[in-house]
Amino acid sequence: AQSVTQPDIHITVSEGASLELRCNYSYGATPYLFWYVQSPGQGLQLLLKYFSGDTLVQGIKGFEAEFKRSQSSFNLRKPSVHWSDAAEYFCAARGSGAGSYQLTFGKGTKLSVIP
Amino acid sequence: DSGVTQTPKHLITATGQRVTLRCSPRSGDLSVYWYQQSLDQGLQFLIHYYNGEERAKGNILERFSAQQFPDLHSELNLSSLELGDSALYFCASSGTVNTEAFFGQGTRLTVV
């Protein structure tokens, strides 16, 4: 079955520190991959996406993610975290073939930022 | 602002009742998706409509149904509500095949 795993339920970092959120996927073929962020009481905002090509993708708010086929991973990174980055982060995937447009989400990683 | 509008933002209702959640997709988007977010199940795909036709079903209960109208807005109908149906329901829309989905702010449903 297709699945997305985010191993870390909760991560706490100090403001200004670097951040890496882990995501692993299990799909028959390389899926399309996404990272979304959800602030309390808010909807899901797309941070970045990977369809094909360059394995290092840049997103909004200074985030980037690296696709590693050999590790079935798509980890999210930020070099310097700001207090406003505190939120819940979701990795998602969908098939790249026709008729497979719905997203499968990981359970999410909650990020806390210490001032 | 994603351009996807969901109404209402909050809904409180009693068990056994029926409610309708509404979604207006981004201008020009033909696909509408519904997702349910709960503490125990996380984000789960419910159903996908494309230009008025149902395209895929996920973990959607038989008590739930959806439709997409000619103007492309969509409604999710939840009936015979149970306490366990309390959740955040998201609508998302997308354009062509290789485009990302944009999410609305969600409707928080509380069943009491």
Side-chain angles (χ1 to χ4, degrees):
Chain A
Q2 298 163 341
S3 66
V4 175
T5 303
Q6 293 179 247
D8 304 304
I9 296 173
H10 192 184
I11 283 182
T12 300
V13 300
S14 297
E15 193 169 15
S18 64
L19 171 71
E20 183 169 28
L21 302 183
R22 296 183 291 164
C23 172
N24 293 96
Y25 63 87
S26 176
Y27 265 73
T30 300
Y32 294 160
L33 296 160
F34 308 84
W35 275 98
Y36 286 86
V37 60
Q38 184 180 24
S39 298
Q42 300 296 312
L44 294 160
Q45 182 182 24
L46 180 69
L47 288 175
L48 46 76
K49 65 190 181 203
Y50 173 77
F51 286 172
S52 65
D54 193 346
T55 57
L56 186 62
V57 294
Q58 302 297 320
I60 62 171
K61 304 185 180 188
F63 286 93
E64 66 177 28
E66 185 171 13
F67 168 67
K68 291 186 177 180
R69 186 190 308 273
S70 62
Q71 298 177 20
S72 297
S73 69
F74 187 58
N75 293 349
L76 182 71
R77 301 194 294 245
K78 187 169 185 178
S80 177
V81 170
H82 188 262
W83 64 266
S84 60
D85 293 324
E88 190 154 20
Y89 292 79
F90 293 92
C91 182
R94 53 157 275 208
S96 54
S100 53
Y101 308 133
Q102 62 267 24
L103 294 168
T104 298
F105 284 90
K107 293 291 189 185
T109 297
K110 184 176 181 180
L111 173 66
S112 296
V113 180
I114 302 172
Chain B
D1 182 7
S2 67
V4 179
T5 303
Q6 289 188 248
T7 57
K9 285 188 169 47
H10 301 277
L11 199 49
I12 301 176
T13 190
T15 54
Q17 294 299 304
R18 172 189 171 96
V19 297
T20 298
L21 312 184
R22 182 187 170 99
C23 169
S24 295
R26 292 190 317 154
S27 177
D29 282 357
L30 299 180
S31 274
V32 168
Y33 311 81
W34 287 96
Y35 291 85
Q36 179 194 59
Q37 184 179 36
S38 62
L39 283 176
D40 53 345
Q41 297 291 326
L43 275 156
Q44 300 263 309
F45 165 71
L46 295 178
I47 199 163
H48 169 209
Y49 273 84
Y50 177 82
N51 201 20
E53 292 187 3
E54 181 185 302
R55 281 299 179 94
K57 267 186 174 179
N59 299 321
I60 189 167
L61 299 171
E62 285 192 10
R63 301 183 284 109
F64 296 1
S65 65
Q67 54 185 327
Q68 186 180 27
F69 295 86
D71 67 352
L72 301 178
H73 91 271
S74 178
E75 293 180 356
L76 179 67
N77 300 296
L78 315 176
S79 61
S80 302
L81 285 167
E82 302 174 359
L83 296 178
D85 297 327
S86 296
L88 191 52
Y89 290 85
F90 284 112
C91 166
S93 74
S94 68
T96 59
V97 170
N98 287 338
T99 58
E100 59 271 34
F102 291 86
F103 283 75
Q105 298 276 59
T107 293
R108 181 166 294 282
L109 173 66
T110 303
V111 182
V112 298

